[in-house]
Amino acid sequence: MHSRKRYRNVIGVVVALLLWPQAGMAAERAKGAEAAKAPVSAERHMKNIKQLTFGRQNAEAYFSFSGNKLIFQSTNNWMKDTYAATLKPEEIGLGCYQMYVMDLESDQVRLVSTGSGATTCGYFFPGDRRVLYSSTHLSGPNCPPKPARDGPYRWALDNYDLFAVRIDGQEMQRLTNTPGYDAEATVSPDGKTIVWTSVRDGDLDIYAMDLDGSRHRRLTDDVGYDGGAFFSPDSKRIVYRASHPTDPAEIAKYKDLLGQRLVEPGQLELFIMNADGSGKHQVTSNGASNFSPYFHPDGKRIIFSSNVETRGEGGRPSFHLYLVGDDGAGLERLTFEGQFNSFPMFSPDGKRLVWISDRNAKQPGEFNVFLADWVP
């Protein structure tokens, strides 16, 4: 994206993590379990954990404004059924993500995207009757080609545009119309503003616009990637992830890859800015891959995913959820199960948490949606 979805998906830097190379994954999983710093019971902030999807890759699940629905992306093929039970994925999956809405009371899902191209970063509009997502379907019906994986991980900046559509998939509206990447869009809690990441001005920056796609304004202008933006509960601030190279050689490499519609997301730090782009300040500074940030309901802390404890160890790193103050103080680890936990979001009332995890995975590369009651 938000992703995150590959560190993101398809969606952005974070979605790419979902497609991390799987060679030796079983051995790494066993190693990670042995090296776990605490048992599952240490996940004291989460109770009544419920797994909502089963199989393949399911990512970036975000609550509706009412809190009774989720929008998420999946490589499960639920296109044939208007209402398909998540417990019964089709035998044949998809080559890339399509966008679905899940009713949390019935555990049923329905397709909201076109079924063509790739999609990422879904989000609800106020009223829960329409949703927002990014798609490549205007560039062709097939999944975009994936970059080669014979070196450092590189994420492709495919030709995504933003679309708004009713939750029955009808009355589609195109919100962006520029070449290149437009994705990682979210909506402010007050229902007035969309933020997203775009390459429209030659760099990967965060932009804002009104809900109807008007009044585009650029919020970031540092050289490098800025994305994965979410608003604070009062809609006055924005938290996001970023990578800003400073060394001339690093800047030249970044720009060269950008010209090839690629980005190499190794290190990401978290930042906060005001909703108009002013007052930027850095939250983390640990040299890790910190991403998928979201504000805690108190508006003073950030929940996010990071490999801060496993970076530099070699092999496939573990990503877990953490909580940190908006000043960077008071880091607390939240998850201990699995090797990948990311894309967290609190429900609008702050009582539940949804996130993506590979815990309980039956196959390498499997990621599912989980829901839990939040314990302060």
Side-chain angles (χ1 to χ4, degrees):
M1 181 251 222
H2 10 137
S3 273
R4 322 269 190 350
K5 11 180 317 129
R6 284 188 165 194
Y7 271 101
R8 205 351 228 75
N9 358 175
V10 166
I11 75 117
V13 172
V14 279
V15 178
L17 289 171
L18 301 181
L19 299 180
W20 195 280
Q22 301 301 324
M25 182 176 178
E28 289 294 335
R29 190 186 304 278
K31 176 183 176 182
E34 294 174 359
K37 295 179 173 60
V40 178
S41 59
E43 296 180 337
R44 65 182 184 85
H45 288 289
M46 295 172 285
K47 69 176 182 178
N48 301 324
I49 295 175
K50 180 180 180 181
Q51 184 171 341
L52 301 182
T53 62
F54 296 81
R56 301 196 178 92
Q57 294 176 345
N58 307 273
E60 290 201 74
Y62 300 125
F63 282 104
S64 62
F65 276 69
S66 65
N68 60 13
K69 294 181 179 64
L70 295 173
I71 186 169
F72 70 107
Q73 59 201 47
S74 179
T75 58
N76 278 303
N77 185 359
W78 292 306
M79 296 186 193
K80 296 179 182 179
D81 257 338
T82 302
Y83 289 98
T86 57
L87 300 181
K88 300 178 181 179
E90 292 287 333
E91 291 184 3
I92 300 177
L94 304 172
C96 51
Y97 291 111
Q98 288 299 316
M99 198 64 58
Y100 298 94
V101 166
M102 177 189 298
D103 186 295
L104 289 175
E105 295 181 358
S106 65
D107 286 345
Q108 292 180 325
V109 299
R110 72 179 304 166
L111 178 73
V112 294
S113 55
T114 65
S116 297
T119 68
T120 189
C121 311
Y123 217 78
F124 278 90
F125 282 103
D128 300 345
R129 293 185 296 272
R130 292 178 67 79
V131 293
L132 170 72
Y133 67 92
S134 296
S135 177
T136 68
H137 71 270
L138 294 183
S139 297
N142 298 323
C143 298
K146 297 179 177 68
R149 301 183 190 176
D150 55 357
Y153 185 81
R154 291 177 177 177
W155 153 51
L157 300 171
D158 296 315
N159 193 28
Y160 284 95
D161 272 303
L162 301 184
F163 298 87
V165 66
R166 287 190 338 208
I167 59 172
D168 62 2
Q170 302 300 309
E171 295 184 5
M172 177 173 284
Q173 175 190 7
R174 186 177 182 180
L175 297 179
T176 61
N177 188 12
T178 55
Y181 186 80
D182 287 273
E184 306 176 38
T186 62
V187 180
S188 59
D190 65 9
K192 297 180 180 180
T193 308
I194 296 170
V195 289
W196 85 104
T197 292
S198 177
V199 73
R200 62 185 54 217
D201 290 316
D203 199 4
L204 284 162
D205 282 298
I206 296 174
Y207 294 76
M209 63 179 164
D210 294 348
L211 295 193
D212 61 0
S214 65
R215 290 205 320 124
H216 293 185
R217 52 264 193 203
R218 186 175 180 176
L219 302 183
T220 62
D221 56 10
D222 293 298
V223 174
Y225 167 79
D226 296 279
F230 287 90
F231 281 93
S232 59
D234 62 6
S235 301
K236 294 182 179 180
R237 297 193 295 166
I238 294 170
V239 63
Y240 61 102
R241 61 182 182 256
S243 177
H244 300 149
T246 56
D247 179 80
E250 292 177 346
I251 293 174
K253 180 181 179 181
Y254 167 77
K255 291 184 176 181
D256 178 64
L257 287 173
L258 193 62
Q260 302 174 53
R261 297 174 65 177
L262 296 168
V263 68
E264 197 173 283
Q267 177 181 329
L268 294 166
E269 302 291 356
L270 304 185
F271 291 76
I272 290 177
M273 62 181 167
N274 295 325
D276 62 0
S278 64
K280 297 179 180 68
H281 75 269
Q282 189 168 336
V283 177
T284 63
S285 184
N286 56 30
S289 292
N290 308 284
F291 64 100
S292 63
Y294 193 84
F295 273 96
H296 184 276
D298 64 14
K300 299 177 182 179
R301 290 176 288 173
I302 308 297
I303 188 172
F304 66 103
S305 180
S306 179
N307 66 342
V308 63
E309 293 180 277
T310 60
R311 69 189 190 281
E313 293 183 1
R316 184 172 183 264
S318 294
F319 287 83
H320 285 283
L321 300 184
Y322 295 83
L323 200 62
V324 70
D326 58 9
D327 59 357
L331 183 69
E332 179 184 6
R333 181 170 168 177
L334 303 177
T335 59
F336 294 87
E337 176 73 1
Q339 280 196 306
F340 183 81
N341 292 271
S342 189
F343 308 115
M345 180 187 185
F346 288 100
S347 59
D349 62 7
K351 295 181 178 180
R352 292 183 292 176
L353 179 75
V354 66
W355 81 104
I356 305 302
S357 179
D358 66 351
R359 61 183 66 200
N360 306 333
K362 304 300 183 183
Q363 299 292 332
E366 179 182 330
F367 300 90
N368 286 295
V369 181
F370 288 80
L371 183 69
D373 294 333
W374 178 255
V375 181

